[in-house]
Amino acid sequence: MSKASRSRFRFASPVAGLLLGLSLLLSACGGGAGSPGAAGNAGANANAAGAKNGTASADTASASQSKGLTLRIGYQKYGTINILKADGRLDKKLAEQGVKIEWTEFPGGPQLLEALNVGGIDIGHTGEAPPIFAQAAGAPLVYLAHEPASPKSEGILVPKDSNIRTVADLKGKKVALNKGSNVHYLLVKLLEKAGVAYSDIETVYLPPADARAAFESGKVDAWVIWDPFFAAAQTATGAKLLADGTGVVANYEFYLASRPFAEKYPDIVKTLLDEANHIDEWAKHNQKELAEKLSRQLGIDVPSLELAAGRRLYGVQPIDQAVIDAQQKIADTFRKLELIPKNITIIDAILKK
């Protein structure tokens, strides 16, 4: 693989309709202050009643159009949406709105967003990098919300008997990672911190399962990976942690949807985010039970999932300017390295309120 081909990211197909946007349900606002007296009060009351009735009509219309809908959610091995699936409460809540859920698992964020591109799913979750690559490819993305930064939930692993001791030792080595995933940025920043040019390593793009096989067989020298694959490799192989994201990256988990879906079904988006926040609160205080619940679903051992659960943070948070700025910095970095084909503006992928 040439350096040029390694340093330029290309999508297998154009991105059409993508990622999800966050739109809060409309709320009634009070009427303007009237002048003293019966006429003024009557006018204010009429305005307030009209606003209330208008909001109720909008909410009723939104709920009505979602009845009979099948919501297609993409998820990965681990993350709050994954916990929602295992718990089953979101299915019940949406069933009350006449909505069914179709769940589809993906090996990573780029694969999940590719399904969103072609209309295979409506909502999903990924790390920081996938929506940047997708937006650069022309996808009409919207960010809904995010989980807190969890920099310890991703890192670079080397085999337990490797003579690689520092990130600087990766120069000239083969490093496996999922192309366009959140760990792509982690690798870029760790190399930069160590004074190693991105072009001085040989990137080997593999999804997690294939990367694990290549890592264990010695076909690659290092593996940049996220939880729970990260934790599973540590517990099963004794792999050494070369570096994680502490002090280098935030590692946010984002809730995403196609703009058309988010704008048409704000009631569904709100329900999903409310339930995600509810299950996050439970997960934060019940990590042993969480690991046991997910182990049955994912086929990953409980100790690995406990390790993963203990090094991430929980709680659905709105997209604010600080997060937008952080995403923009990642996008600008990828553009400088020619990993994306054009400049993008993250604010364009934020749903207008």
Side-chain angles (χ1 to χ4, degrees), residues 194-217:
V196 178
Y198 183 79
S199 58
D200 284 343
I201 65 165
E202 182 176 350
T203 51
V204 180
Y205 296 127
L206 296 169
D210 294 338
R212 169 78 177 262
F215 181 74
E216 292 193 39
S217 65

Side-chain angles (χ1 to χ4, degrees), residues 60-215:
T60 300
S62 179
S64 176
Q65 68 182 356
S66 66
K67 286 184 178 179
L69 178 74
T70 296
L71 169 63
R72 301 163 304 166
I73 300 179
Y75 69 100
Q76 303 175 57
K77 282 187 182 294
Y78 214 62
T80 298
I81 286 185
N82 185 272
I83 304 171
L84 281 175
K85 179 182 184 299
D87 178 69
R89 177 171 156 136
L90 179 62
D91 296 80
K92 295 176 183 177
K93 283 287 184 178
L94 286 179
E96 294 171 3
Q97 299 180 31
V99 178
K100 297 180 181 179
I101 300 179
E102 178 180 289
W103 300 90
T104 304
E105 182 181 323
F106 295 89
Q111 294 88 344
L112 185 153
L113 294 188
E114 178 61 22
L116 201 72
N117 297 348
V118 298
I121 60 173
D122 306 303
I123 287 177
H125 66 118
T126 78
E128 300 154 323
I132 288 172
F133 281 97
Q135 186 182 352
L141 312 183
V142 284
Y143 292 77
L144 300 181
H146 70 91
E147 296 283 326
S150 295
K152 293 182 181 296
S153 294
E154 59 180 1
I156 301 180
L157 296 176
V158 294
K160 61 183 178 180
D161 57 353
S162 174
N163 59 6
I164 296 173
R165 297 287 181 264
T166 68
V167 174
D169 295 334
L170 292 176
K171 186 173 182 178
K173 304 296 185 183
K174 292 183 179 180
V175 181
L177 70 151
N178 195 44
K179 189 176 186 180
S181 66
N182 57 323
V183 297
H184 210 146
Y185 186 61
L186 173 66
L187 176 61
V188 167
K189 296 307 290 183
L190 285 174
L191 289 173
E192 180 183 284
K193 184 178 179 181
V196 178
Y198 183 79
S199 58
D200 284 343
I201 65 165
E202 182 176 350
T203 51
V204 180
Y205 296 127
L206 296 169
D210 294 338
R212 169 78 177 262
F215 181 74

